[in-house]
Amino acid sequence: MRIRTILRTNAGVWLTLPLTLLAVAYIANFTRSADPYPVAVTAAGLAALGFVVPICAALGAWEGGRLRRGGTWDLPTVRSRYVIAGWALGPVVAAGCVSVVAAVLTSTLASGVAVPDWRPVLVAFLVVLAHSAAGFALGILVPTALAVSGSLLASFVWMVFLRGLDPMWLRYLNGGAIELCCDISTDLAPSAVSGPLVVAIGLLAAAGLTLATTRAGLQRRALALAPLLVALVIGSMLVSELSAYPAVPRDERQLLCSDRDQIRVCVWPEHEPRLAEVAGLAAKAWAGWRAAGVSAPTHFTEGQDGVPPDVLRFSFAMRSSPSVIVSGFAYAMLPPWPACADFGPYLGFEAFEYVHAWYAAHGGLPEDDLRSMYQASSGPDRPPVIELVDQVLAQPLDVQRRWLAANVAALESCEMEPQLSLSAPNS
Amino acid sequence: MLKFEDVSFAYRARTDVLRSFSWNVPAGRTVLLGPNGAGKTTLLSLGSNALNPVSGRVCLGELDPARRRDRAAYRAAVGWMPQVIKPLPGLTCREQVAYAGWLKGASRADAWNHALDALSKVALADHADRSVSQLSGGQLRRVGLAQTLVHNAQVLLLDEPTAGLDPAQRGKLRETLALMPSDTTLVVSTHQVDDLGDLFDRVVVVDRGRMVFDGDVTSFMDLAPDGSIRRAEAAYSQLISGES
């Protein structure tokens, strides 16, 4: 068909601009990644798939319906059905892909990332293509009104409602849940890419077989669904190991490290502009804790390698203030959450804020920031954090260390009462 | 030459429409007569390769559309105007005809250029930029005819081109058919015997999937009893009992 005719008559062409603007507005309105981490900010752009894909499916159904009404499939054509479908579907797929790219670029550029990660984009493109083709196939089989509404609804349910179903890994079959990837210390799980890709290819194959069997009997037409069923089984096997987030630990070899004043600080490449500053804060915190007589690791890292207390794992965002970073160091000094707390009462939990405030104060957190952080923090049965920590800080260091040791012990166990005064354990 | 060799065909859950049907379609203009349900549409659909025979074969010279490698060439060589013309929503007349040419394998540019020629042949050039959906039934049929002309087919199979047209529209369509190139094999199906006129070289009559007459127009007319006033109808009645 003549290109100008396609541009004039194809629904995909007409809706490219509105769909793109909608996708941009949607992404600009609610996603803001704190870090310029390409895979995370690219994945965030995929939030638009929830409506871009169903609309493409409906547009595909509309175009399929047009060809059906025009009797194209009844004609003995020289051009193959796939070529004919390709030209009818091309603008629809292009509309979806342009919208996805616009949404992704909105997300990445807002975070200062110029080049998106290709993996989420690949999944999004294939999902758009598969749903558009499936809509098209439905459009050539059933009346247009039914095909358009059915495609829109089925695609929307698949893209949006799947996320609310159990088991949790079901959400990864549609490709949309890639938007949940990733914090800076994780990378996109390969199976979160391969799973939806396999399902999308299966859907595409089913749509293709449907095109080839429009005049076949019901049994042969039903067989066209076989690739989709096989793909769902394979895709399920691929994603069934994924948990709430489609992420795996990031390759630690990417960490960039600074060695200064006997302190080694490692951050992810996206944080490199602040490495020197963070290294200074880390050295200051370490020196403060040493001066207070507390042992602290000399290796601060954003990675997952190493086991506390040999390393201090911390994280921050590019926009984090120095106080937030020091506060993060202080959190990292706290003992890990005890396993017993998952199954019963955790009496030591109340010591959490007091111990953190103490570490933060000795780690170099300015007093004003400490006060604003814990200004309103108190409870009916416990003293205000600032009040108690001020009292503790006014004591000799050996008293402070005894108070700290008692509360750290309470944090590490579930039965021990925390010491929320300087004299005796809190009752 | 278009050939039907021992062709049988049945739609699903129906008895045979055609059974061991053979026919060498001659060059020139042939009218295909028969009552409703005789198998005319099926025959032309098989000839166009819109349908495939259950057994037997349809071929054009050496081209056998059952063979994958011949199919495209066969389809490009045969133009088919179905009984119902379904325009693609949103297209103009020229776009519709160009689309048909593109479907038949012509390049976009060729299809676009030839579309105007084809519309000229059916006297619709001045409607080229009009939406197909605004056309009358007769104009739509002429667009359908233009669609078969746009790709310069060797064989044209027209299924009931005058059905549903008023006498004036039928007259115009017959004028158009009369202007067809003489080297084109033209088969026109109709159940209206008065369409014969002096337009056709041969007459073929089918009934219940069988060919009951194949001859020139004079031989056909000779079947009419002496003294018949409407000779074509009378001849036809001799072949198809109970029809007129």
Side-chain angles (χ1 to χ4, degrees), chain B residues 49-110:
Chain B
N49 196 229
L51 295 176
N52 293 308
V54 174
S55 63
R57 72 176 195 142
V58 182
C59 56
L60 180 66
E62 297 299 312
L63 297 175
D64 181 354
R67 290 196 296 255
R68 187 175 285 270
R69 65 172 185 273
D70 288 350
R71 195 171 300 151
Y74 180 94
R75 288 180 169 186
V78 178
W80 175 53
M81 178 179 164
Q83 242 179 64
V84 180
I85 308 299
K86 297 177 180 173
L88 203 61
L91 299 193
T92 64
C93 292
R94 188 174 182 181
E95 286 171 338
Q96 175 69 33
V97 175
Y99 176 60
W102 180 77
L103 290 177
K104 282 291 190 178
S107 70
R108 281 194 195 85
D110 284 350

Side-chain angles (χ1 to χ4, degrees), chain A residues 21 78 83 106 119 210 233 257 266 302 334 366:
Chain A
L21 291 177
V78 171
V83 171
T106 302
R119 294 165 296 172
T210 302
V233 171
C257 298
C266 298
E302 285 196 290
L334 296 172

